[in-house]
Amino acid sequence: MLDIHGLDVHYDGVHALRGLSVTVEQGEIVALLGNNGAGKTTTLSAISGLVRPGDGTVVFDGQEITRDKPHTIAARGLVHVPEGRRVFSTLTIHENLQLGGYMVRDQAEIRKRIAHIYELLPRLAERRDQQGGTLSGGEQQMLAIGRALVTGPRLLLLDEPSMGLAPLVVASVMRLIAQINAEGTSVLLVEQNATAALGIAHRGYVLENGVRILEGHAVELRADPRVADAYLGGMTHEPN
């Protein structure tokens, strides 16, 4: 579904990606792991057209999108939820969700998608008239993901959805991502919380200084002592 080959990106004077190759198959959750500065966010930005790569290709569903503009890429069904949630703080939950449908011409389809999000996230439904800026961090993250779903993604790019959230809230966010995937949306998930990411991912890649240093099935990565020592706090057993 997504084929990134030989991606090379210089960003703010830094060689952020160095010949990176990553794939996502239809129906997968693929985790991109690594420490700060590893190139994870730059990878998502290059895929979604926010950053122009110097070399390499990005192919989505058989069509090259390397030089396409962000709105064109989103219209194809490749939707990016950036780090930091970025909800519209003075707009209500419902208004935020409506903005997710700005490229959807069919108003009935927008209403249908929002209704489904309220089913997935009843807490948002209860507070639909509350301003986005008054929500907790976890609720804002749920809203940001919900707003992206109104766009109708076939592949969802999620950048650090667990950042700054309490462990119980992180678990709720990961359950939501797994449910979205079970309903047919593929996911490329950038996370520093490797334990949470590998708990729901099918496969994963580990980046370091813009280079892919490890890849494998999630079970294999969880059992790999190099991943356990660097990203799982030395934990080599299966997470609960």
Side-chain angles (χ1 to χ4, degrees):
M1 189 174 197
L2 180 70
D3 185 12
I4 304 163
H5 181 72
L7 211 60
D8 212 76
V9 175
H10 287 80
Y11 188 66
D12 287 342
V14 176
H15 198 172
L17 296 179
R18 304 165 185 263
L20 181 68
S21 295
V22 168
T23 62
V24 180
E25 301 292 342
Q26 174 71 43
E28 281 191 312
I29 299 175
V30 175
L32 277 184
L33 310 175
N35 292 322
N36 275 333
K40 308 184 302 299
T41 292
T42 301
T43 301
L44 296 194
S45 296
I47 294 168
S48 63
L50 298 175
V51 171
R52 185 64 59 88
D55 199 5
T57 57
V58 180
V59 177
F60 177 59
D61 198 24
Q63 293 189 315
E64 185 175 347
I65 61 170
T66 315
R67 307 294 173 187
D68 287 359
K69 295 186 180 299
H71 68 274
T72 303
I73 293 170
R76 292 183 185 275
L78 202 163
V79 180
H80 186 178
V81 181
E83 178 185 336
R85 304 163 194 129
R86 303 188 192 181
V87 302
F88 294 96
S89 61
T90 60
L91 299 183
T92 66
I93 286 172
H94 193 72
E95 289 167 338
N96 268 275
L97 293 176
Q98 286 177 314
L99 281 173
Y102 76 99
M103 291 188 297
V104 182
R105 294 178 180 273
D106 187 341
Q107 293 300 309
E109 181 63 24
I110 293 173
R111 290 193 293 271
K112 178 182 175 182
R113 292 176 186 178
I114 292 176
H116 181 57
I117 289 160
Y118 284 149
E119 290 175 4
L120 283 175
L121 300 167
R123 191 168 180 83
L124 293 187
E126 294 167 4
R127 302 181 172 197
R128 56 180 291 161
D129 295 322
Q130 186 171 328
Q131 287 185 330
T134 66
L135 301 176
S136 69
E139 290 164 344
Q140 287 189 18
Q141 185 62 67
M142 300 289 194
L143 177 56
I145 293 172
R147 185 178 59 196
L149 293 178
V150 181
T151 306
R154 296 171 54 232
L155 174 59
L156 196 58
L157 309 178
L158 295 174
D159 194 356
E160 301 284 7
S162 77
M163 180 176 287
L165 303 182
L168 285 177
V169 182
V170 171
S172 296
V173 171
M174 294 299 155
R175 282 195 298 271
L176 173 63
I177 296 168
Q179 187 170 357
I180 291 166
N181 176 250
E183 293 181 355
T185 302
S186 305
V187 178
L188 181 57
L189 172 63
V190 159
E191 263 297 340
Q192 280 197 18
N193 187 335
T195 302
L198 293 176
I200 62 169
H202 300 96
R203 293 188 300 113
Y205 297 88
V206 179
L207 307 187
E208 187 175 290
N209 296 322
V211 177
R212 186 187 71 196
I213 60 169
L214 287 172
E215 63 177 295
H217 292 287
V219 173
E220 297 169 346
L221 291 176
R222 286 199 299 265
D224 190 312
R226 292 168 295 179
V227 177
D229 291 343
Y231 306 107
L232 303 176
M235 183 184 73
T236 56
H237 63 274
E238 296 282 324
N240 293 326

